[in-house]
Amino acid sequence: MSIRVGIVGISGFGGGEAMRLVASHPAFDLVYAAGEGSAGSPLVDRFPGVPARLAGLVIEKWDPAALPKLDLLFASLPTGASAEALARVPKDVKIVDIGGDHRDAEGWVYGLADVWPDRIAGRDRVANPGCFPAAALTALAPLLSDRLIEPGNIVIDAKTGISGAGRGGADSRFGFAESNENLVPYGLLDHVHMPEMARTIERLSGGSAAGLVFTPHLVPMTRGILATIYCRGRATTEQCLDAARRFYAGRAFVRVSDRPPQTKWAAGSNLAFVSYAADPGRNLVIAMGVVDNLGKGAAGQAVQNANLICGLPETAGLEVAPVWP
């Protein structure tokens, strides 16, 4: 089987990671690449290590009216930049939107692949979760589904690598001199991922997510997200771990750990690690989730979703081990 694939936004970190995964995928054939600043350049100029068979592929200016024959399109565009354009892509082309425009849009399914794979399989329009929700919701889903925690007043404290800010832009906050040996909170109270997480918490629990607090921090590393989540509940640590083991039984990419997870565990992979610590006497449950923000947090989960909608094995092209050290 050869599935003709295109990637829009290939010059960015998310699009570039999608290219890396598609290039080694057993069923995907990359035939179209589009970007803005790199349009007109061969792919090898932007990615010198690209496989030889893709080196001559020329990056085109993004135009949904001028697409070649495609079966599947990955869109990795900034929030606000994809809704209008993707509406003009032919209906017979399956789309996975790695950006944020379609996570609550009519006709699109929310692609939290390890939690709701059955809702995604066979669909033709999938909205990939954001990177922070990928880490936090994967850890929270078993607890919410088993009613082990209260859905309200959850506090999510998350740390992300600098690549989460994207490749473009001229903001010096993301340069080496300002980010090295620094720790920066941002997006307080109104981060773009807040509504997405609140909606999903309510869907999983059937209750209200009122009181949800989310604070992300930029840390001086390239990849990785660690979400430490504080919840109210009387469960024990073992009850939380057991709920997660049952919830993710048979799921290839979620690892339930007795130890607090580390970002290096997931680097360069589509894995998610979850763990828990609880003190029933204090009505406290701490959930922890780790992902690679460009892997499970973006392109890895996008390829997982593409496998689901194309009827392929969910693990196709994604069984690479994490990079260590």
Side-chain angles (χ1 to χ4, degrees):
M1 175 186 290
S2 180
I3 295 172
R4 293 172 60 85
V5 174
I7 300 174
V8 178
I10 200 165
S11 303
F13 289 142
E17 186 77 350
M19 183 277 297
R20 182 178 74 88
L21 295 172
V22 168
S24 60
H25 195 285
F28 291 166
D29 182 17
L30 183 63
V31 299
Y32 173 77
E36 289 299 320
S38 56
S41 304
L43 195 61
V44 71
D45 283 1
R46 194 66 168 178
F47 301 100
V50 73
R53 61 185 172 80
L54 296 175
L57 184 66
V58 175
I59 301 173
E60 301 183 29
K61 188 174 179 61
W62 166 228
D63 181 0
L67 290 177
K69 175 63 178 176
L70 295 177
D71 301 305
L72 172 67
L73 181 69
F74 293 99
S76 183
L77 298 169
T79 298
S82 64
E84 185 276 332
L86 292 184
R88 294 188 282 128
V89 172
K91 297 296 185 184
D92 62 343
V93 178
K94 300 178 187 294
I95 302 175
V96 179
D97 186 4
I98 302 174
D101 284 11
H102 294 101
R103 289 171 186 153
D104 196 38
E106 185 177 353
W108 291 71
V109 61
Y110 185 58
L112 196 58
D114 297 301
V115 176
W116 289 315
D118 293 342
R119 300 185 186 184
I120 300 162
R123 299 290 293 270
D124 57 12
R125 294 291 186 272
V126 178
N128 225 49
C131 54
F132 287 116
L137 295 171
T138 302
L140 287 172
L143 308 186
L144 292 165
S145 295
D146 274 18
R147 308 294 191 264
L148 295 179
I149 59 172
E150 301 171 14
N153 300 309
I154 292 172
V155 177
I156 302 172
D157 183 330
K159 312 295 192 295
T160 183
I162 299 165
S163 61
R167 188 173 188 172
D171 193 330
S172 66
R173 290 180 303 160
F174 308 128
F176 177 82
E178 291 202 26
S179 59
N180 183 49
E181 297 190 20
N182 200 9
L183 178 61
V184 183
Y186 66 100
L188 279 69
L189 302 179
D190 61 353
H191 191 277
V192 67
H193 289 163
M194 275 280 289
E196 176 185 349
M197 289 192 284
R199 285 192 301 267
T200 307
I201 287 169
E202 291 176 348
R203 289 170 184 165
L204 286 163
S205 68
S208 170
L212 175 66
V213 177
F214 167 54
T215 303
H217 301 76
L218 196 70
V219 298
M221 62 183 182
T222 301
R223 290 173 177 254
I225 288 178
L226 168 61
T228 305
I229 309 158
Y230 303 93
C231 317
R232 293 299 177 190
R234 298 288 184 183
T236 66
T237 299
E238 193 53 45
Q239 284 176 319
C240 295
L241 290 168
D242 181 63
R245 292 185 186 109
R246 285 185 282 103
F247 190 90
Y248 292 118
R251 307 298 299 146
F253 297 114
V254 181
R255 307 287 173 83
V256 182
S257 172
D258 294 336
R259 296 181 289 154
Q262 305 171 25
T263 57
K264 276 284 189 182
W265 292 2
S269 79
N270 188 50
L271 295 175
F273 290 86
V274 299
S275 189
Y276 307 92
D279 186 343
R282 296 164 61 189
N283 193 30
L284 175 64
V285 173
I286 301 174
M288 292 158 280
V290 157
V291 301
D292 182 325
N293 56 289
L294 297 179
K296 178 66 74 179
Q301 185 148 222
V303 171
Q304 185 179 355
N305 279 319
N307 288 337
L308 284 166
I309 65 178
C310 291
L312 299 171
E314 198 170 341
T315 57
L318 292 171
E319 293 184 291
V320 61
V323 177
W324 183 271

